[in-house]
Amino acid sequence: MLWLPGPLLLGWLLFTPRPQWRGCILAACAGTVLSLLLVPMSAVPRLLASLGEFAMVAVVAWLLLRWRGERAGLEDYRDLTLFMLLACVLLPLCSAWWYALASGGRPALLSPQVMRAVALSSSVSYLLVVPLLVNVARIVEVPERRHGWHWRTVAMAVLLFSLLVMLWTVKWQDGVVTPLLTLAPIPLLVWTLIVFGIAGASICMLLVALLGMQLGVVGIGPFGFWDVPRNLLTGQVWTLCTGFALLFLGALSDQKLSNRIKLNRAYQRLGEVTGRMLVVQEEERTRIARDLHDDVNQSLAAISIRLSTLRNQIPAAERPSVVELQDQLLAVSNDIRSISHELHPSILRFTGLASALDAFCIKRNARGRLRLRCSIEAPPRLTDDQELSLFRIVQEALNNVDKHARASVADVLVCVRGQHLVLRVDDDGIGIPAGRIAPAPGLGLISMEERARLLGGTLLVGASPLGGTRIEVRFPLPDAARRAPPQ
């Protein structure tokens, strides 16, 4: 029913680096020599036939890889077409011809019936074994392809295959039902393709083909109507037709899965780059804040001291101008100090998130028309990076409210709900008009979304009970934060 050495070698060569081909071919030859020791009478002809087939397999593998280039194996329709022409048609015909020549060219072995049987067996073997090896190797190398491989789905596949075995082994009295049983594996094959991918479908196809041909040999099942050679021939033809259709259908599913994996990896790389940019941004903010506080403010303080000295040396009539200049200089110094604290909230590192948010809200209330109400309900102990991300999200959200929402009141809430920490910013502004198409997100919203992603959570934007917009960040707390006492 199946001839394994050639298909096993071809499947192995297709996912093995070319410098290792020599070892693979030598191992296949050694295995063939050891297996032929069991049949010493025909060892030499079989060895010659195997060596010739291995040489043809190496040529076919080289042609397939040369055509494939950098693409994944047996994924593209052109690759599948070339594989079927070379490995499932041309290679079996050449192997059958070479097998007859290596056996001495006897007329019995060169008869059309024998050549057809050998070629069909070889073609079915290459069709079933090579895609199975290639696709199983791919799911081993790429963990994202194992999404459907769970014990529940595997148990379901075993149950469905057991039902197929029961259907095929029952001797139906009605002569119409038995031929229709050839359609029974189709739902199982499609289901395995959807759940497990092309690798699972290849395994299922191999098991179904072996079951059908073996039952045909003993005279039962959908291929058990005639004598053994004709039953086996019917099973092989059915396997070829079904296998070709399954491979082309699997190529479509596999291309979609490959595109999804590439897209997810691109998103991951983009997220990593964005995360590094946020880290660099924080480092640059810290540097600028330190320069403003230590250099610029110190220079302003030195200028103020010199103005004080100058004020005592000038006439009394000109002193008010110097005092006014000192007041302006002090206001500039206070503004620079405020900007420095917003760029890098040092209070966050020393006193924690609750105190930093309270101080931030007090400062914003003192200088703007937007009234902020902060409510921090016993926040757990978080890492410095988590607290900084939450603080930046509040900063960016309130900046958006101040610029775009036309709001008079905004509420900031930090609380724990179950095993998640929740941050909400509500305002009573104009909100998001109903039916309006959302524009492309700005840099502020993108920054908040990325910070929420780095926290391991999500950011949601919706309607607020105050009438404006609600921005909510929710992320799971680590075990250490759940067990730690609140700050």
Side-chain angles (χ1 to χ4, degrees):
M1 289 185 292
L2 290 181
W3 174 250
L4 294 179
L8 287 176
L9 179 60
L10 179 58
W12 198 266
L13 293 179
L14 288 180
F15 64 83
T16 301
R18 195 166 299 176
Q20 302 177 12
W21 278 21
R22 180 181 301 176
C24 295
I25 297 175
L26 291 177
C29 294
T32 302
V33 171
L34 293 176
S35 65
L36 293 178
L37 293 178
L38 301 175
V39 192
M41 298 299 296
S42 59
V44 175
R46 288 180 179 269
L47 179 60
L48 292 176
S50 297
L51 292 179
E53 184 180 8
F54 291 160
M56 289 185 282
V57 165
V59 173
V60 170
W62 181 80
L63 290 175
L64 289 175
L65 292 177
R66 182 177 178 85
W67 172 268
R68 186 180 71 187
E70 298 297 328
R71 298 190 302 274
L74 303 184
E75 180 181 342
D76 190 84
Y77 287 117
R78 295 178 299 174
D79 297 340
L80 281 177
T81 303
L82 187 64
F83 165 74
M84 291 176 182
L85 290 176
L86 292 179
C88 300
V89 177
L90 184 60
L91 182 57
L93 292 175
C94 294
S95 298
W97 174 77
W98 176 251
Y99 174 77
L101 291 181
S103 300
R106 288 175 291 176
L109 296 177
L110 292 173
S111 63
Q113 293 80 6
V114 175
M115 296 284 288
R116 182 188 63 188
V118 175
L120 273 177
S121 175
S122 181
S123 179
V124 169
S125 302
Y126 283 103
L127 178 66
L128 294 178
V129 175
V130 175
L132 187 149
L133 291 177
V134 172
N135 290 294
V136 168
R138 292 176 67 191
I139 67 172
V140 171
E141 295 175 354
V142 184
E144 293 90 343
R145 294 184 175 274
R146 310 172 198 165
H147 64 283
W149 292 83
H150 308 296
W151 69 268
R152 292 186 180 87
T153 54
V154 173
M156 178 62 67
V158 172
L159 177 60
L160 293 176
F161 184 76
S162 302
L163 292 177
L164 177 65
V165 174
M166 294 175 58
L167 284 175
W168 277 10
T169 53
V170 172
K171 291 187 177 181
W172 301 91
Q173 299 298 326
D174 188 359
V176 178
V177 175
T178 305
L180 292 177
L181 292 179
T182 56
L183 302 177
I186 304 302
L188 174 61
L189 294 172
V190 173
W191 180 80
T192 53
L193 178 61
I194 295 173
V195 176
F196 300 104
I198 187 62
S202 299
I203 296 174
C204 185
M205 184 67 211
L206 175 64
L207 297 176
V208 170
L210 290 176
L211 175 66
M213 289 186 288
Q214 182 61 40
L215 292 179
V217 169
V218 298
I220 60 177
F223 311 119
F225 291 99
W226 305 279
D227 56 357
V228 173
R230 191 172 180 183
N231 290 342
L232 187 57
L233 175 62
T234 305
Q236 290 172 337
V237 172
W238 179 88
T239 300
L240 287 175
C241 296
T242 307
F244 287 158
L246 185 66
L247 275 183
F248 278 100
L249 184 61
L252 177 61
S253 174
D254 207 41
Q255 285 180 355
K256 291 183 178 180
L257 178 60
S258 298
N259 292 335
R260 185 165 65 248
I261 291 174
K262 292 178 182 178
L263 185 61
N264 290 336
R265 289 181 175 178
Y267 278 132
Q268 291 176 359
R269 289 194 293 269
L270 180 61
E272 293 173 358
V273 171
T274 307
R276 287 195 292 268
M277 289 178 60
L278 290 176
V279 172
V280 173
Q281 183 186 57
E282 290 298 335
E283 293 176 352
E284 191 66 15
R285 283 183 171 184
T286 302
R287 185 189 66 80
I288 295 174
R290 184 173 58 250
D291 291 343
L292 288 176
H293 186 273
D294 296 342
D295 296 339
V296 178
N297 252 358
Q298 294 299 326
S299 299
L300 292 178
I303 294 174
S304 179
I305 292 173
R306 295 190 64 180
L307 286 176
S308 298
T309 305
L310 180 62
R311 183 183 60 187
N312 296 328
Q313 297 176 356
I314 62 176
E318 298 179 3
R319 289 178 183 176
S321 299
V322 177
V323 172
E324 182 180 358
L325 185 60
Q326 277 188 302
D327 292 339
Q328 293 177 357
L329 195 62
L330 180 61
V332 171
S333 177
N334 291 333
D335 290 341
I336 291 177
R337 186 180 296 108
S338 177
I339 294 173
S340 173
H341 290 166
E342 286 192 7
L343 286 173
H344 180 65
S346 56
I347 187 175
L348 184 66
R349 186 172 67 251
F350 295 112
T351 63
L353 180 63
S355 300
L357 287 179
D358 283 336
F360 177 74
C361 291
I362 291 173
K363 288 183 179 180
R364 292 295 295 261
N365 285 332
R367 72 180 189 185
R369 61 178 181 82
L370 180 65
R371 309 303 298 173
L372 303 182
R373 299 180 298 200
C374 292
S375 177
I376 296 91
E377 299 178 1
R381 186 171 300 164
L382 303 174
T383 64
D384 293 343
D385 292 337
Q386 288 176 329
E387 290 186 346
L388 180 60
S389 295
L390 290 173
F391 186 84
R392 293 301 187 199
I393 291 173
V394 172
Q395 269 188 322
E396 192 60 48
L398 292 177
N399 287 337
N400 289 341
V401 170
D402 203 12
K403 292 178 181 177
H404 309 295
R406 305 176 194 169
S408 58
V409 176
D411 290 343
V412 178
L413 171 65
V414 179
C415 60
V416 177
R417 295 291 182 264
Q419 298 180 350
H420 292 77
L421 188 138
V422 178
L423 165 66
R424 290 176 185 157
V425 179
D426 295 289
D427 66 77
D428 62 347
I430 58 175
I432 302 175
R436 177 183 173 185
I437 300 176
L443 292 178
L445 186 58
I446 293 175
S447 174
M448 288 190 287
E449 288 178 345
E450 185 57 33
R451 290 186 185 277
R453 189 195 65 81
L454 292 177
L455 289 170
T458 57
L459 182 138
L460 300 176
V461 180
S464 169
L466 298 181
T469 304
R470 164 174 287 184
I471 294 177
E472 178 177 301
V473 175
R474 182 184 296 264
F475 69 94
L477 290 171
D479 295 336
R482 298 174 195 166
R483 294 191 296 265
Q487 297 177 351

